[in-house]
Amino acid sequence: MKINYLKSISICFLFASMACQKEKVEERTEAKRYQGFSLASQNCASNFEILDLPPGQEEVGQKPVNGITMEEIETQLKEDGATGWIHAAIPAYKTWVWTIRQKSSFFSNYQFPLAFSDSKVAETMMTLKRHDMITIKGEILKNGAAHKHIFVTEVIVKKRIDEEVAGKENLYNKYFKPNEKRDMSIPNELAEGTSAIVKVHSIDHDGKSMTVEYKDMVIQVIVDDPSLTKDLYRNDKIKIQYRPEVHPQRPLHLVLDVTAAKPVEMIDRLKDMHRKEAVVEGCLVLFPVSPQINRNIFALLEVDKFGVMRTWTLANFEHGEDGYSMPVFDKISQKLQNVWDADTDKAINFRNKMLNSNIRVRAQGTLNIVAANQANPQILLSGPEKLQLSIIGK
């Protein structure tokens, strides 16, 4: 059966919009009290210094490999369904994004915006949270969009994140507090402008599809000339010239203005930093264990002069025959866990992570960027002594 894309999208988002009117009013009120972005901007301003690269170091890190194909996903969707995880569920932004990942390769994954019109599917979608595992049936829409969408005809909840972590110690449910409020003014702010300094969130299909981060929002950018974006990496900082595309029944999109003198201007290219020795300062971040990661992972949040944020995972791949030392990594993690636990009440839910802007981190190590869509760049630490930690006011 051929699906009318525009009709299905309109039905989907009309249903979601009606169901969310009360929630949107409440979120606008609560957003006035949301301090996450402002706290990070004030307390996490970074000092960033590139040092001379020590001699004799070889390239380290994890390498992406080929994983599940688009053809396999299409077959699964039409037959028994494809199983993956909710990456984003934001009814107020009319946004649902689903990830399917190759188990053998963390970097091998696809992310799809979801559309639906069936009321039963919509009812289930409204209950979903990030990291919920679901099986979906449907088809990839042939709408010409570079970033492929899935039209969902059936959704089966396999495991909810609340069930995944129930009763476990020091894990997701212990740290993620229900205090995250999004700034609902961001879409209007972008819709009224024509340029912005942003951070690349994802690049797909040789630059034909790009999403960017602006403050605490992820926005789709439509790219008519992929030569302008094909060499970008996730977490690159760029200035874009754009035309806002506003539609009442779908999320805000930005159309890259290819007529501008500089549609894309590089501010800070991430891959140029690979294998550089650096000292980075910022605030402490925690990614609690989840269905995607099997232990607490700590990171450093830096904020530049433009207010753009970048998160560096604090890791260790430098020692041991396999290029990774669990004992060293455990010592690094324990040092970070101790200071986090000493000031845990100051932590806030900050989109997909916990942020404690009261804890300052100074880390010295080798910067590691191994894939264009690597979620976060890494600071590889030779040991816990390369970390200096302090709690503001103590």
Side-chain angles (χ1 to χ4, degrees), residues 228-387:
L228 297 169
T229 55
K230 65 183 180 66
D231 294 325
L232 294 177
Y233 269 47
R234 181 170 180 168
N235 288 294
D236 280 348
K237 299 175 188 178
I238 58 176
K239 182 176 182 179
I240 59 172
Q241 305 292 330
Y242 67 86
R243 292 179 287 105
E245 186 181 82
V246 181
H247 190 285
Q249 304 302 335
R250 65 182 182 190
L252 171 70
H253 286 57
L254 306 179
V255 181
L256 197 64
D257 184 2
V258 296
T259 67
K262 291 185 177 181
V264 178
E265 182 179 353
M266 181 60 65
I267 302 295
D268 192 8
R269 191 187 304 276
L270 191 70
K271 67 179 180 181
D272 290 346
M273 302 180 193
H274 181 56
R275 302 304 300 145
K276 298 290 180 65
E277 187 79 3
V279 174
V280 188
E281 292 185 21
C283 292
L284 187 58
V285 163
L286 168 64
F287 291 92
V289 69
S290 72
Q292 309 300 315
I293 53 175
N294 61 10
R295 61 183 292 163
N296 287 347
I297 298 295
F298 289 94
L300 183 156
L301 179 73
E302 56 141 328
V303 183
D304 69 9
K305 62 182 180 181
F306 304 109
V308 178
M309 301 180 183
R310 185 182 276 156
T311 303
W312 296 86
T313 302
L314 300 170
N316 165 266
F317 293 120
E318 295 288 357
H319 303 276
E321 293 180 359
D322 59 353
Y324 176 82
S325 171
M326 183 59 73
V328 173
F329 187 49
D330 285 342
K331 290 178 182 178
I332 291 169
S333 298
Q334 191 59 58
K335 183 173 182 176
L336 292 163
Q337 187 74 60
N338 289 344
V339 72
W340 183 275
D341 291 342
D343 197 55
T344 190
D345 291 341
K346 300 294 193 309
I348 61 169
N349 189 345
F350 198 54
R351 209 171 84 200
N352 64 333
K353 52 187 172 288
M354 292 300 297
L355 166 69
N356 193 327
S357 61
N358 205 46
I359 301 176
R360 291 284 296 180
V361 183
R362 184 179 189 273
Q364 179 177 339
T366 304
L367 307 183
N368 195 48
I369 303 98
V370 298
N373 270 320
Q374 183 175 337
N376 294 310
Q378 299 158 337
I379 303 175
L380 303 182
L381 307 165
S382 60
E385 70 279 359
K386 295 299 182 179
L387 288 170

Side-chain angles (χ1 to χ4, degrees), residues 200 202-210 212 221-234 236 238 240 256 263-264 266 269 372:
V200 176
S202 68
I203 287 287
D204 294 301
H205 310 292
D206 296 322
K208 295 178 183 178
S209 175
M210 177 172 69
V212 298
V221 179
I222 298 172
V223 182
D224 292 329
D225 183 359
S227 67
L228 297 169
T229 55
K230 65 183 180 66
D231 294 325
L232 294 177
Y233 269 47
R234 181 170 180 168
D236 280 348
I238 58 176
I240 59 172
L256 197 64
V264 178
M266 181 60 65
R269 191 187 304 276

Side-chain angles (χ1 to χ4, degrees), residues 21 23 40 62 87 105-106 127 135 161 177 188 207 212 228 232 243 281 299-300 303-304 364 366:
Q21 287 305 309
E23 179 181 344
Q62 299 167 325
H87 177 75
S105 172
F106 189 80
T127 70
T135 296
I161 181 61
K177 305 171 186 178
N188 292 335
V212 298
L228 297 169
L232 294 177
R243 292 179 287 105
E281 292 185 21
L300 183 156
V303 183
D304 69 9
Q364 179 177 339
T366 304

Side-chain angles (χ1 to χ4, degrees), residues 88-292:
I90 315 171
Y93 285 162
K94 309 180 186 72
T95 299
W96 287 264
V97 180
W98 175 81
T99 296
I100 185 167
R101 189 181 301 281
Q102 186 81 354
K103 291 183 178 180
S104 61
S105 172
F106 189 80
F107 290 123
S108 179
N109 64 83
Y110 291 98
Q111 295 181 1
F112 297 89
L114 302 180
F116 43 87
S117 61
D118 181 83
S119 60
K120 184 177 180 180
V121 171
E123 183 179 351
T124 302
M125 296 298 293
M126 295 292 291
T127 70
L128 296 176
K129 297 180 182 179
R130 179 178 170 87
H131 293 310
D132 282 349
M133 181 189 292
I134 62 173
T135 296
I136 59 175
K137 296 182 180 181
E139 65 176 295
I140 295 176
L141 289 168
K142 305 298 190 292
N143 64 332
H147 197 152
K148 298 182 183 297
H149 294 57
I150 292 177
F151 184 85
V152 181
T153 57
E154 183 180 350
V155 57
I156 303 167
V157 179
K158 305 295 288 187
K159 185 173 291 186
R160 296 185 184 273
I161 181 61
D162 294 338
E163 301 168 358
E164 181 80 17
V165 300
K168 296 181 181 179
E169 291 293 328
N170 299 326
L171 303 185
Y172 194 92
N173 58 340
K174 175 179 177 180
Y175 292 108
F176 268 160
K177 305 171 186 178
N179 63 352
E180 178 185 20
K181 303 298 176 185
R182 293 179 178 272
D183 184 351
M184 297 301 295
S185 69
I186 292 175
N188 292 335
E189 183 179 327
L190 288 168
E192 294 170 358
T194 58
S195 68
I197 294 176
V198 298
K199 183 178 70 174
V200 176
H201 182 77
S202 68
I203 287 287
D204 294 301
H205 310 292
D206 296 322
K208 295 178 183 178
S209 175
M210 177 172 69
T211 58
V212 298
E213 295 182 28
Y214 182 78
K215 296 185 178 178
D216 69 338
M217 184 179 180
V218 177
I219 312 102
Q220 181 75 41
V221 179
I222 298 172
V223 182
D224 292 329
D225 183 359
S227 67
L228 297 169
T229 55
K230 65 183 180 66
D231 294 325
L232 294 177
Y233 269 47
R234 181 170 180 168
N235 288 294
D236 280 348
K237 299 175 188 178
I238 58 176
K239 182 176 182 179
I240 59 172
Q241 305 292 330
Y242 67 86
R243 292 179 287 105
E245 186 181 82
V246 181
H247 190 285
Q249 304 302 335
R250 65 182 182 190
L252 171 70
H253 286 57
L254 306 179
V255 181
L256 197 64
D257 184 2
V258 296
T259 67
K262 291 185 177 181
V264 178
E265 182 179 353
M266 181 60 65
I267 302 295
D268 192 8
R269 191 187 304 276
L270 191 70
K271 67 179 180 181
D272 290 346
M273 302 180 193
H274 181 56
R275 302 304 300 145
K276 298 290 180 65
E277 187 79 3
V279 174
V280 188
E281 292 185 21
C283 292
L284 187 58
V285 163
L286 168 64
F287 291 92
V289 69
S290 72
Q292 309 300 315

